[in-house]
Amino acid sequence: MACLSPLAFTYLIALFLCLSSNHSTACPQDQKEALLLFKELLVKELKQKHSPIESMADLQSWNSSSDCCKWSRVACHPSKKVSGLNLYYLVPLISLEATVNASILSPLFRVRTLLLLDLSYNSMQGEIPVTGFGNLTKLVHLDMSHNSFTGSIPQELILLRHLQYLDMSSNYFDGLLGGALGELRSLRFLNLDENFLYGQIPMEIGNLTELSTLSLRQNKFSGGIPSSLICLKELQVLDLRNNSLSMEIPPEIGKLSKISTLALSRNLLTGEIPESIQQMSNLTTLQLDNNLLYGKIPRWLFDLQGLKILHLGGNTLIWDNKAIIVPRCNLSELSLRSCGLSGTIPAWLSTQTGLSLLDLSENELEGNFPLWLAEMDVGSIILSDNKLSGSLPPRLFQSQSLSILALSRNNFSGRLPETIGEADMMMLMLSDNNFSGVVPASLSNIYRLLLLDLSKNQFSGKSFPTFSPDSLLAFVDISSNKFSGQIPTGFGRGLIMLSLDQNEFSGSLPQNLTQLVQLRHLELHDNNVTGEVPSFLSQLVSLQVLSLRNNSLTGSIPSDLAKLPELQILDLSNNNLNGDIPPRLGNLHGMIYPPDTSSLSSAMFSFPVQFEDLIVNWKRSKQGLSRYNLDFYSLLDLSSNQFSGEIPASLGGLKTLKLLNISRNHLSGSIPASLGDLENIESLDLSHNNLSGEIPPTFAELLQITTLDLSNNKLVGKIPDSAQLDRLNDPNFYANNSGLCGVQIQVACPEARSAAEPMPLDSEKEEVFSWQAAAIGFPAGFLAAILAVYVTGCLRVMSPHRSMHQPRSRHHKT
C-alpha cells in the first residue's frame, strides 16, 4: 500500500477533525472546564507580564455558555468529545515579546480523547509538566515545535502507542535520547531539530519501521550513525546535519531504497562516499558537505537521474580533473567547494540548465568568467578563493535570477560593468581582487542589496553611489581602496556595518551619520579625517564598534560618548586629541557588562560569508579580530595622542575590558588602584607617559593579564608579586622608570637586601662591651659624652641597611 507523506497524513487528520466537529452538539463538561482553565491561566500569565490580551480574538469564543465543539481552534469527534486542539501561533498573535510558562498546559492533559494537539510557534518556556502525556494515549499528532521548552524529552511519550507524528523541534530540550523512543512503533514523522540533545543516537531507533521522516538536525549527537537505520525501509528523509557524528557512513545505507533526502552535512564523518548510495534511485538531495570525508568523488553520482541537490564541499574529497562527465541528472544546486578542481570552470556545467546554486569556491580554477555561465541565469554563483582573472561580462548583471555573487580573493580586474545596476542581487562580494575605476552610479539601483563588499581593490573616485533611505543595505565594506573626498553616508537607514577604513577620505565626520540609526560597526581608521570627535555620535545608540584610529582628529573626547550603551570597542589612537580623558568613559555600559545580543552571526547567511577582520593594536602588534567573535572583546585604545591630566579612576569599573591602551600621551599622577579591578584585562599599556608613584598592589589581582607595559614613566617601588605578574618578566615592560624593583626585572628591593644581610650582632655587642669597660671610674659628665658617641656609632652602623626604609628605623628605636 502506498505510504502517505507526513504532510498529507496530517492534512487528512485535520480534515477529519474539521468535518467531525459539525456533528457535535455539546462537549463533555469536564473537557469544557479544562479548556476554560487553560484560557484562564494563559490570560493571567499575560496580564502579569503586561502583555495585551485584547487581540486574543481566537479564544474569545471560549466561554462557559457555549458548546466547546463550536469554539475556534477546537475539533470534536462525532461522539461530541474533543479530538483536536489547533493552538499553534497563539501567544505571538498577542505579543511578540510575551512568554508563558509550560505549567499552563496541565489542564489540556485532562482532555483524554485528543487525537491532535498542536502547540507550535508559541512562546512557551520551562519544563513540560511531569504528569501529562500519559493521559493522552489516543494521541496521533503532537506538534510542540518552535517554543522554548526546556528539560529532557518527556519519558511519558513512550505511552503514546498510536502516535504517528511528533515534532518537538526548535526548543531547548537537552539530555540523552533514550532507547525507549523505539517503543513508538506507529511513528511515521519524527522531528527533533534544533535542540541540545546529546549522546549517541540509540540503536532502538531502528524499531520505528514505519518512519518516513527522521530529522535530528542541529543537536549535539555524537558517535556513529547507528547501523539499525538500515531497518527503516519506509524512510524517505534522513536529516542528521549539524551534529558531531563521527566514524564512517554505514556502507549499507544504500539499502534505504525509498530515500529522497540524505542530509549528513556538518558532522565529523570520515571515510569514502559509500558505493551503495548509487542504489538510491529515488535520491533527489545528497548533502555530505563539511565533514572529514576523503577519496575521489565518484562519477556515478552524476548518473543518478533524479538528483537535484549535491553538496560535497568542505571535505578532503578530490575531483578527478581528467574525468569526462556526461551528467544524466539536471542539478539545481551543486557545491564542490575545496574539492581540488583545477583548470578552467568545467564546461559540462553548461548542461545543467536548472542550476540555481553553484559553489566552486576554494579551488584552483583559472581563466576568465565564462560567458556561457553568465547567460545561464544562475541564482547564486560562489567562486571565491580561486585564481580566476579578467573582467566580468556585462551580461552577468542582466540576469534577473542572480541573487548572490561571491568572487572574492581572485585576480579579477578592470572596471565594473555599467549594467551592474540591472541585477536584483542580495549579496555582492568582490573583495581582494584588482578591480579599479569608479563604482558605477547604477549600483544604487539594486534595491534588494543586503551585503556589499568591495574591499581590498583599487576602486577610486570622490563620490560613492547614493542609495535610497529605505534601501535594504545592512553590511557595507569598501575598505582598502583609493576612495577620496567627503565621507559617504548615503547607504540607507537600516545599515548595520560600515567599513570605510584605509582609504583617502577627508574632512570632518558628517552630521548625517546620525541617520544610520541601526549602525553597530563604524570603521574609519587610516584615512585623512580632520576636525573634532563630534558629540552627535552619541545618537548612534546601537554602536558597538567605533574605530577612528590613525586620522588627524583634534580637540577633546566628548563625554557624551559615554551615553553609547552598546559600545564595546573604542579606538581613537594615533590622532591629535588632547585634554583630559573624560571620567564618564568609565560608565560605558558595553565595557562593564557582557553583551546581550550578538553583533554578527554566520547563521544570518545561507552559506559561509567571510567578512574582513577588524584590525586593532592587540598586545603590541596589529591583529585581526573575527567579526563573528567580537562579542568576546571589549577594547579601549586612546594611545598616541596628546592627552594630559590623570588617569580617571572610573576606568577601573570597565569589568569586561580586555585591552586598555593609553600609552604615548602626557598623562601624569599616580596609577589608580582601581585599575586592579579590571578582572578580564589581558593587555594593559600605560607606557610613555609621566606617571609617578608606585605600581598599585591591586595589580596582583589581574589574573588574566598577559601583556603589561609600564615603561618610560617615573614609577618607583616594588613591582607587585603574583603568579601572573611574575611571568611578565621582560625588562622592557618596566624600562626607563625612576626606581622600580622586583623579581620580574631581577632587581632586589631594599627590604629584600635587609633580609638577605642580617645585622652583625656579635660585633655590635663587642663594641658595646669595650665602651662600658673604658667608662669605669670616669666622671659622670665624661661618661655622658662617651654614651653620645656610642649612640652615634650605633646609628652609623645601622644606617646603610635602613636608608631606603625609614618607617622600620623608627620601629627599631621604639
Side-chain angles (χ1 to χ4, degrees):
M1 187 177 83
C3 180
L4 288 174
S5 71
L7 184 61
F9 179 79
T10 303
Y11 173 76
L12 287 178
I13 290 180
L15 180 62
F16 166 74
L17 295 176
C18 181
L19 292 175
S20 63
S21 64
N22 295 331
H23 300 284
S24 303
T25 55
C27 66
Q29 185 64 25
D30 62 325
Q31 294 188 350
K32 177 190 287 188
E33 291 174 355
L35 297 181
L36 289 175
L37 179 56
F38 167 75
K39 177 183 177 180
E40 179 184 341
L41 293 174
L42 174 60
V43 171
K44 181 180 179 181
E45 279 239 3
L46 294 173
K47 282 184 176 179
Q48 287 177 347
K49 296 177 180 178
H50 307 289
S51 299
I53 61 172
E54 293 80 6
S55 59
M56 197 163 58
D58 280 7
L59 297 188
Q60 286 181 359
S61 61
W62 291 30
N63 60 76
S64 59
S65 62
S66 61
D67 177 12
C68 70
C69 286
K70 297 181 179 179
W71 291 352
S72 174
R73 295 176 176 260
V74 177
C76 290
H77 289 283
S79 61
K80 306 176 185 179
K81 296 179 180 178
V82 176
S83 57
L85 293 174
N86 289 289
L87 303 179
Y88 57 87
Y89 229 101
L90 184 64
V91 174
L93 289 175
I94 303 168
S95 172
L96 290 173
E97 298 181 357
T99 56
V100 294
N101 195 279
S103 60
I104 71 167
L105 297 177
S106 294
L108 299 183
F109 297 132
R110 287 154 45 185
V111 186
R112 296 173 179 263
T113 55
L114 280 177
L115 296 178
L116 181 147
L117 177 59
D118 189 344
L119 297 166
S120 61
Y121 289 95
N122 284 292
S123 299
M124 296 182 183
Q125 62 181 7
E127 295 194 22
I128 298 171
V130 176
T131 56
F133 287 115
N135 295 331
L136 306 181
T137 56
K138 299 181 184 297
L139 208 59
V140 174
H141 181 113
L142 176 60
D143 192 342
M144 307 187 75
S145 64
H146 296 87
N147 282 287
S148 298
F149 294 121
T150 57
S152 57
I153 300 290
Q155 291 296 313
E156 285 190 328
L157 285 177
I158 65 172
L159 301 176
L160 309 183
R161 299 305 171 88
H162 299 290
L163 197 63
Q164 299 184 22
Y165 184 103
L166 176 59
D167 190 346
M168 307 191 81
S169 61
S170 299
N171 280 288
Y172 294 94
F173 292 118
D174 58 14
L176 300 172
L177 187 60
L181 186 69
E183 298 298 320
L184 299 177
R185 296 176 185 266
S186 298
L187 211 56
R188 298 182 181 183
F189 181 95
L190 176 59
N191 188 346
L192 302 178
D193 291 350
E194 298 180 17
N195 281 288
F196 295 91
L197 303 170
Y198 57 84
Q200 295 190 1
I201 300 173
M203 289 292 291
E204 291 83 354
I205 206 159
N207 297 335
L208 307 179
T209 55
E210 298 296 320
L211 209 59
S212 64
T213 295
L214 174 59
S215 192
L216 306 178
R217 176 176 54 84
Q218 201 163 325
N219 279 281
K220 297 182 178 181
F221 289 115
S222 57
I225 298 174
S227 58
S228 62
L229 285 181
I230 307 303
C231 300
L232 306 182
K233 302 299 184 182
E234 301 299 321
L235 202 61
Q236 298 175 22
V237 175
L238 177 60
D239 191 347
L240 305 179
R241 288 175 293 168
N242 292 78
N243 281 286
S244 297
L245 298 171
S246 57
M247 296 188 279
E248 295 186 356
I249 301 171
E252 296 182 339
I253 198 166
K255 290 184 177 181
L256 299 176
S257 59
K258 293 186 178 181
I259 281 277
S260 62
T261 296
L262 179 59
L264 306 178
S265 306
R266 298 186 181 278
N267 280 287
L268 302 171
L269 299 170
T270 61
E272 298 185 354
I273 298 174
E275 291 281 334
S276 65
I277 288 180
Q278 61 187 311
Q279 300 171 18
M280 295 179 169
S281 57
N282 295 307
L283 194 64
T284 61
T285 297
L286 180 60
Q287 295 174 302
L288 304 178
D289 50 302
N290 294 288
N291 278 286
L292 302 174
L293 301 175
Y294 54 81
K296 285 188 177 182
I297 296 173
R299 284 185 289 179
W300 51 256
L301 284 173
F302 301 95
D303 293 332
L304 296 171
Q305 294 185 20
L307 194 62
K308 295 294 182 183
I309 297 174
L310 179 59
H311 292 184
L312 302 178
N315 288 284
T316 53
L317 295 168
I318 299 299
W319 178 261
D320 184 358
N321 290 289
K322 297 180 180 180
I324 299 175
I325 303 295
V326 182
R328 298 179 63 188
C329 55
N330 193 358
L331 296 171
S332 61
E333 294 184 13
L334 176 62
S335 170
L336 296 176
R337 177 172 59 89
S338 66
C339 287
L341 276 74
S342 62
T344 59
I345 296 175
W348 63 264
L349 289 173
S350 62
T351 66
Q352 304 300 290
T353 54
L355 208 58
S356 63
L357 181 146
L358 176 63
D359 185 354
L360 302 180
S361 60
E362 299 179 30
N363 284 291
E364 299 291 326
L365 295 172
E366 300 174 334
N368 295 340
F369 193 106
L371 181 59
W372 57 260
L373 180 56
E375 294 174 342
M376 284 182 65
D377 294 332
V378 179
S380 299
I381 300 176
I382 305 169
L383 301 174
S384 304
D385 297 283
N386 279 285
K387 299 178 181 179
L388 299 168
S389 58
S391 59
L392 299 181
R395 172 63 178 84
L396 175 63
F397 299 103
Q398 293 174 316
S399 168
Q400 293 305 303
S401 300
L402 188 62
S403 179
I404 296 172
L405 181 62
L407 305 178
S408 299
R409 295 171 295 282
N410 278 284
N411 298 317
F412 289 114
S413 59
R415 293 172 174 261
L416 293 183
E418 292 293 332
T419 57
I420 195 169
E422 299 179 30
D424 197 22
M425 289 179 292
M426 295 180 64
M427 298 183 186
L428 177 60
M429 289 162 282
L430 305 178
S431 68
D432 211 349
N433 280 284
N434 295 309
F435 291 113
S436 60
V438 176
V439 175
S442 65
L443 180 69
S444 61
N445 296 335
I446 308 177
Y447 176 75
R448 282 206 314 159
L449 195 59
L450 174 71
L451 185 152
L452 175 64
D453 188 355
L454 305 180
S455 62
K456 294 188 176 181
N457 280 286
Q458 303 294 323
F459 290 117
S460 59
K462 293 187 176 181
S463 63
F464 195 83
T466 301
F467 291 78
S468 66
D470 59 347
S471 165
L472 300 181
L473 262 181
F475 307 95
V476 173
D477 189 348
I478 59 173
S479 62
S480 300
N481 280 287
K482 297 180 179 180
F483 293 114
S484 58
Q486 295 294 310
I487 298 169
T489 59
F491 299 106
R493 290 186 290 261
L495 199 64
I496 293 175
M497 185 187 87
L498 179 58
S499 296
L500 306 176
D501 49 282
Q502 300 182 78
N503 279 288
E504 298 171 9
F505 292 118
S506 58
S508 58
L509 292 168
Q511 173 83 38
N512 53 8
L513 276 172
T514 57
Q515 298 174 6
L516 306 178
V517 293
Q518 309 275 349
L519 198 61
R520 299 181 192 175
H521 294 199
L522 176 58
E523 295 160 43
L524 273 163
H525 62 82
D526 293 276
N527 277 286
N528 299 316
V529 183
T530 56
E532 299 187 352
V533 179
S535 60
F536 62 67
L537 289 179
S538 63
Q539 299 177 38
L540 300 174
V541 294
S542 297
L543 208 58
Q544 297 172 342
V545 175
L546 176 59
S547 179
L548 302 176
R549 178 181 72 248
N550 202 21
N551 279 287
S552 300
L553 296 168
T554 58
S556 59
I557 298 177
S559 58
D560 281 353
L561 286 186
K563 296 179 181 178
L564 293 170
E566 306 294 333
L567 195 62
Q568 296 172 230
I569 296 177
L570 176 60
D571 190 348
L572 302 177
S573 61
N574 287 87
N575 280 285
N576 295 310
L577 300 171
N578 55 41
D580 294 341
I581 297 175
R584 288 181 62 189
L585 291 185
N587 299 329
L588 283 167
H589 187 277
M591 300 184 186
I592 300 174
Y593 303 102
D596 295 327
T597 57
S598 176
S599 56
L600 291 177
S601 171
S602 58
M604 300 169 70
F605 309 103
S606 59
F607 69 98
V609 172
Q610 182 174 331
F611 289 108
E612 295 296 330
D613 288 348
L614 174 67
I615 305 299
V616 298
N617 290 315
W618 175 257
K619 299 183 179 181
R620 310 182 78 184
S621 65
K622 286 187 177 181
Q623 294 190 28
L625 304 180
S626 170
R627 294 186 188 277
Y628 292 129
N629 296 324
L630 289 185
D631 293 337
F632 298 110
Y633 297 95
S634 179
L635 317 176
L636 177 59
D637 192 345
L638 307 178
S639 62
S640 299
N641 280 286
Q642 306 294 323
F643 294 119
S644 57
E646 297 187 349
I647 300 173
S650 60
L651 297 185
L654 303 178
K655 299 294 186 182
T656 65
L657 209 60
K658 287 188 177 291
L659 179 146
L660 175 60
N661 190 349
I662 49 179
S663 65
R664 299 183 184 277
N665 281 288
H666 303 296
L667 301 171
S668 58
S670 59
I671 300 174
S674 61
L675 294 190
D677 297 331
L678 297 173
E679 55 195 42
N680 288 295
I681 201 77
E682 296 181 17
S683 178
L684 177 60
D685 192 345
L686 310 180
S687 65
H688 295 272
N689 281 290
N690 294 310
L691 302 173
S692 57
E694 297 188 349
I695 301 172
T698 56
F699 273 35
E701 304 299 320
L702 301 177
L703 304 181
Q704 305 296 324
I705 196 162
T706 57
T707 300
L708 173 65
D709 194 343
L710 303 176
S711 63
N712 294 281
N713 281 289
K714 299 176 181 179
L715 301 172
V716 298
K718 182 181 179 182
I719 300 170
D721 291 325
S722 75
Q724 194 66 20
L725 289 182
D726 290 351
R727 297 188 184 98
L728 306 180
N729 52 12
D730 185 343
N732 293 323
F733 292 163
Y734 309 96
N736 299 322
N737 279 286
S738 300
L740 288 176
C741 62
V743 296
Q744 296 88 345
I745 55 176
Q746 298 182 352
V747 175
C749 293
E751 65 270 24
R753 287 199 295 268
S754 298
E757 303 172 15
M759 186 65 62
L761 296 177
D762 292 342
S763 61
E764 190 171 82
K765 287 181 180 178
E766 291 175 2
E767 187 177 6
V768 173
F769 177 79
S770 63
W771 278 112
Q772 290 175 342
I776 296 174
F778 277 76
F782 183 71
L783 180 60
I786 295 301
L787 288 174
V789 172
Y790 165 75
V791 172
T792 303
C794 183
L795 290 176
R796 185 179 300 116
V797 171
M798 297 182 66
S799 62
H801 299 281
R802 296 178 183 165
S803 61
M804 296 293 290
H805 232 358
Q806 292 302 322
R808 184 169 295 199
S809 299
R810 289 195 294 269
H811 177 72
H812 179 81
K813 288 168 74 175
T814 58

